[in-house]
Amino acid sequence: MADSVEDSKFCLTEVLDVFKSCLTENKEVLVDQYVAGWRGLVKFMNSLGSIFSFISKDAVSKIQIMINHRNGNNGAEYVTIQSMVKYELDNKLVDLTKSGNFPESGCRTILRLHRALRWLELFLERLRTSTEDGKTSVMCADAYNESLAHHHPWIIRTAASVAFCALPGRSTFFEVMNVGPPEQVVAMLGDALPLISEVYQITEDLYTKHNLLSLP
């Protein structure tokens, strides 16, 4: 099922629609929609070639873990990120201090996607507000250093900095989004990013409340 993540073309509009449906009336984050949003973001990264493979491959494996949880015997406990956190903490299914027993816990898996979502959010916001001659390599590196870099070992940080140097220009990114002319992409990003940001912040607050932001 995870392999199909890479099949079809990325379209920013579709990802926007998914993140619109990600939150319940009570502002809980629906796991199925969260995963679907991530499938779209993986398409985006893959459509740019292998540059982001060090992140997209990990995201694909995390997506599959969450699909397995939803399809498992306790799938009903994983309807929202909030219900997942309560279920796993109540049943001691999370490695809180050292890794080993539950490497594929939902809490740990979502945390990894959550961190990467912050990087993408920061990068896309820089793209949205950049000028035509803005350097995507600098934008991406700055976003990475503000977010994911804090959680990656030196060897991955080094590989990332080399990969970012090979990023295509702003116009290529806009073409890949399959929305239309640049001004339409900028407008669409203006709609999409607050939604992604809200999902991120709700998850961040939930994990902060339960001291889950540093899961091994």
Side-chain angles (χ1 to χ4, degrees):
M1 195 167 177
D3 292 343
S4 64
V5 169
E6 304 178 26
D7 291 348
S8 53
K9 263 192 169 183
F10 172 77
C11 177
L12 183 65
T13 318
E14 290 172 17
V15 175
L16 171 61
D17 288 341
V18 171
F19 275 101
K20 271 182 183 169
S21 63
C22 213
L23 296 177
T24 68
E25 286 183 11
N26 298 326
K27 299 293 185 182
E28 294 193 348
V29 182
L30 293 162
V31 167
D32 289 346
Q33 280 78 356
Y34 188 87
V35 166
W38 255 107
R39 289 166 76 90
L41 292 173
V42 166
K43 285 182 202 172
F44 170 56
M45 289 188 279
N46 287 346
S47 61
L48 291 159
S50 60
I51 294 168
F52 292 128
S53 61
F54 73 102
I55 293 173
S56 66
K57 282 179 182 174
D58 187 54
V60 167
S61 72
K62 299 295 185 281
I63 286 168
Q64 190 59 50
I65 290 170
M66 293 313 300
I67 290 170
N68 293 344
H69 280 307
R70 285 289 289 129
N71 291 339
N73 293 334
N74 297 305
E77 307 289 354
Y78 290 83
V79 172
T80 68
I81 291 179
Q82 285 76 4
S83 66
M84 173 199 78
V85 167
K86 183 179 188 314
Y87 168 70
E88 291 195 342
L89 287 178
D90 286 351
N91 290 278
K92 297 181 170 53
L93 298 173
V94 188
D95 292 320
L96 294 172
T97 54
K98 59 180 182 179
S99 57
N101 293 325
F102 305 103
E104 295 194 347
S105 70
C107 287
R108 182 184 187 276
T109 302
I110 290 290
L111 178 61
R112 269 57 186 178
L113 291 172
H114 174 70
R115 290 169 177 172
L117 188 64
R118 178 62 174 161
W119 161 67
L120 275 168
E121 180 198 339
L122 290 170
F123 177 43
L124 290 173
E125 176 60 21
R126 282 172 166 81
L127 270 179
R128 185 184 75 82
T129 57
S130 63
T131 57
E132 275 185 48
D133 57 354
K135 287 190 176 295
T136 56
S137 56
V138 174
M139 292 181 238
C140 197
D142 287 348
Y144 178 75
N145 289 332
E146 271 185 49
S147 53
L148 269 180
H150 302 301
H151 309 289
H152 283 166
W154 175 83
I155 192 164
I156 293 181
R157 294 198 306 270
T158 304
S161 63
V162 172
F164 297 154
C165 291
L167 283 176
R170 179 178 182 261
S171 59
T172 301
F173 274 93
F174 281 14
E175 283 167 23
V176 160
M177 290 177 190
N178 287 314
V179 172
E183 59 272 17
Q184 230 169 305
V185 178
V186 168
M188 184 65 75
L189 284 171
D191 290 336
L193 286 168
L195 294 166
I196 292 173
S197 179
E198 186 177 15
V199 170
Y200 173 85
Q201 196 55 54
I202 287 170
T203 309
E204 179 81 359
D205 292 344
L206 176 70
Y207 271 60
T208 300
K209 178 182 173 184
H210 293 285
N211 297 313
L212 297 173
L213 285 173
S214 300
L215 290 181

